[in-house]
Amino acid sequence: MNYLKNHQIFESQDLSETQAFLSDMNSIDTIDALGKNASTDVSIQSAAIADITLLGASFGAGRIHLKTPAIETDDLFLLFVNSGNGQVKHGAHEFEISPQRGLMRNMRVPLSAIEDDFSALGAHLPVSTMRKHAHALTGRDIFRNELVFDAAIDVTLPGQGHVVDTLHYIANAVDGPLYGLENSIILAELRDLLLTNILMQLPNSYLDILHDRPSTVALPRYVKRARDYIHEYADSAIHLADLVAYAGCGYRTLLVGFNDVYGMAPMAYLKTIRLNRAHNELLEAAPGTTVAKVADKWGFGHAGRFAQSYAVHFGVSPSETLKRCR
């Protein structure tokens, strides 16, 4: 399915014309059609949502190769595949993108891709806007911390898949009932909805801060006490009995409270916080840091199980995160 049909800004079957347009618009410096009887049938759509730009693109039924250089900007580009698939090299990392796996591109990193029967929907995201939104969500000074996302997005995971659904919802809204509407308040609310889901659901270096203080949920006192205990002693041994005693309520009450607020049991929440902190430490790793040391620090005694849980949570292995920082 293609999106933003009422916002088409370019259509061509001419490769040279396409390359010139994409070079000006998205800094794609090379695009080639591959294979026998190679051809392109390119369609580009664009719609502004406050200071975020939604982009749709389809490249026809063939195979294409495109390259983009590193760009001196702090912006990111979020991309979800509607149809087809591609093999992407994003800096030093290579992985497949498909309807099950998206991409968060760091524009400062060069990218090349070979794409087959490809169409996608994406969003151009100014990092300054995302940092301001993170500050609004937490009320905390987070501007000293770099905002870093994992490049690969696992759409099969519920949280990350929800970001895709949110982007599709907004694209359908601006192409349908909100088409032609110039209401800055409504557009800003759609922008904020997208940013909140991206920051809260996709693997990034702000997750620990963001999930430390949910801004929209009234916390029962016993949940807040247990949550604060987890955050204070996440690098120490914590048992369920410790949380129940500190919270001052029964196990069943605490379990229901955590499920209502966080959608998970208290010990699962503890595991999530530890994974997030391990993730942040790997992102900011000092020379000599090893995955095993980080895992042990945050209570994961078995390196294999830690790597498995980390990969499920962030979509990449801990060793891949560590390599990215060096």
Side-chain angles (χ1 to χ4, degrees), residues 92-111:
H93 303 285
E94 294 188 46
F95 53 90
E96 182 181 10
I97 55 174
S98 69
Q100 290 75 45
R101 198 169 203 191
L103 165 71
M104 178 67 87
R105 186 197 167 194
N106 180 347
M107 303 291 279
R108 289 181 176 269
V109 175
L111 178 142

Side-chain angles (χ1 to χ4, degrees), residues 191-256:
R191 183 269 314 275
D192 291 349
L193 172 65
L194 180 61
L195 290 180
T196 297
N197 278 278
I198 289 171
L199 287 164
M200 299 294 287
Q201 301 290 353
L202 298 186
N204 70 82
S205 57
Y206 282 4
L207 276 180
D208 192 16
I209 299 172
L210 288 163
H211 286 281
D212 201 352
R213 289 183 55 183
S215 61
T216 59
V217 179
L219 294 181
R221 179 175 179 274
Y222 53 85
V223 172
K224 183 179 185 302
R225 283 180 61 82
R227 184 207 66 184
D228 290 348
Y229 188 91
I230 286 172
H231 285 278
E232 180 70 22
Y233 299 105
D235 60 347
S236 303
I238 296 179
H239 303 288
L240 184 58
D242 301 325
L243 292 179
V244 170
Y246 192 80
C249 65
Y251 165 71
R252 178 66 181 171
T253 300
L254 189 62
L255 177 63
V256 172

Side-chain angles (χ1 to χ4, degrees), residues 2-326:
N2 291 330
Y3 294 84
L4 305 174
K5 293 179 180 178
N6 290 321
H7 293 81
Q8 186 160 300
I9 59 173
F10 180 79
E11 185 175 24
S12 178
Q13 295 180 340
D14 183 277
L15 191 60
S16 298
E17 183 180 31
T18 297
Q19 179 161 319
F21 178 84
L22 292 177
S23 178
D24 290 339
M25 180 185 183
N26 208 24
S27 300
I28 295 176
D29 62 358
T30 302
I31 179 169
D32 295 309
L34 304 178
K36 188 177 181 180
N37 301 320
S39 64
T40 58
D41 186 5
V42 177
S43 176
I44 307 292
Q45 300 81 37
S46 177
I49 308 296
D51 49 357
I52 287 176
T53 303
L54 304 186
L55 289 169
S58 60
F59 293 91
R63 167 174 282 199
I64 65 164
H65 173 234
L66 60 84
K67 293 175 63 178
T68 65
I71 306 166
E72 287 302 313
T73 177
D74 285 333
D75 294 353
L76 303 171
F77 188 80
L78 175 65
L79 181 143
F80 293 117
V81 179
N82 298 328
S83 62
N85 59 80
Q87 192 67 32
V88 168
K89 184 174 183 181
H90 181 265
H93 303 285
E94 294 188 46
F95 53 90
E96 182 181 10
I97 55 174
S98 69
Q100 290 75 45
R101 198 169 203 191
L103 165 71
M104 178 67 87
R105 186 197 167 194
N106 180 347
M107 303 291 279
R108 289 181 176 269
V109 175
L111 178 142
S112 65
I114 295 177
E115 300 168 346
D116 293 284
D117 305 333
F118 195 79
S119 70
L121 177 67
H124 186 264
L125 305 167
V127 169
S128 58
T129 296
M130 300 186 73
R131 288 161 67 91
K132 289 177 183 176
H133 191 69
H135 179 263
L137 289 173
T138 63
R140 296 170 63 178
D141 179 14
I142 46 86
F143 293 102
R144 292 174 296 174
N145 302 328
E146 184 180 4
L147 177 58
V148 180
F149 283 82
D150 285 350
I153 300 169
D154 187 350
V155 177
T156 65
L157 297 177
Q160 298 180 43
H162 181 64
V163 179
V164 185
D165 294 339
T166 302
L167 185 60
H168 289 172
Y169 163 76
I170 293 173
N172 284 327
V174 301
D175 212 36
L178 301 183
Y179 178 64
L181 181 69
E182 297 183 2
N183 186 311
S184 60
I185 295 175
I186 292 177
L187 294 178
E189 287 181 349
L190 289 176
R191 183 269 314 275
D192 291 349
L193 172 65
L194 180 61
L195 290 180
T196 297
N197 278 278
I198 289 171
L199 287 164
M200 299 294 287
Q201 301 290 353
L202 298 186
N204 70 82
S205 57
Y206 282 4
L207 276 180
D208 192 16
I209 299 172
L210 288 163
H211 286 281
D212 201 352
R213 289 183 55 183
S215 61
T216 59
V217 179
L219 294 181
R221 179 175 179 274
Y222 53 85
V223 172
K224 183 179 185 302
R225 283 180 61 82
R227 184 207 66 184
D228 290 348
Y229 188 91
I230 286 172
H231 285 278
E232 180 70 22
Y233 299 105
D235 60 347
S236 303
I238 296 179
H239 303 288
L240 184 58
D242 301 325
L243 292 179
V244 170
Y246 192 80
C249 65
Y251 165 71
R252 178 66 181 171
T253 300
L254 189 62
L255 177 63
V256 172
F258 263 77
N259 273 315
D260 286 344
V261 175
Y262 299 110
M264 63 183 76
M267 298 308 286
Y269 180 83
L270 169 61
K271 181 179 179 181
T272 298
I273 294 303
R274 285 173 167 169
L275 283 170
N276 288 337
R277 294 198 178 176
H279 178 66
N280 291 342
E281 190 158 329
L282 291 170
L283 285 171
E284 301 171 358
T289 299
T290 65
V291 170
K293 288 180 181 178
V294 172
D296 185 65
K297 175 180 177 180
W298 294 109
F300 298 96
H302 190 285
R305 284 197 287 270
F306 167 69
Q308 185 179 33
S309 297
Y310 187 99
V312 169
H313 194 72
F314 295 108
V316 296
S317 70
S319 58
E320 287 175 313
T321 303
L322 185 60
K323 287 177 184 176
R324 186 177 63 184
C325 303
R326 291 176 173 171

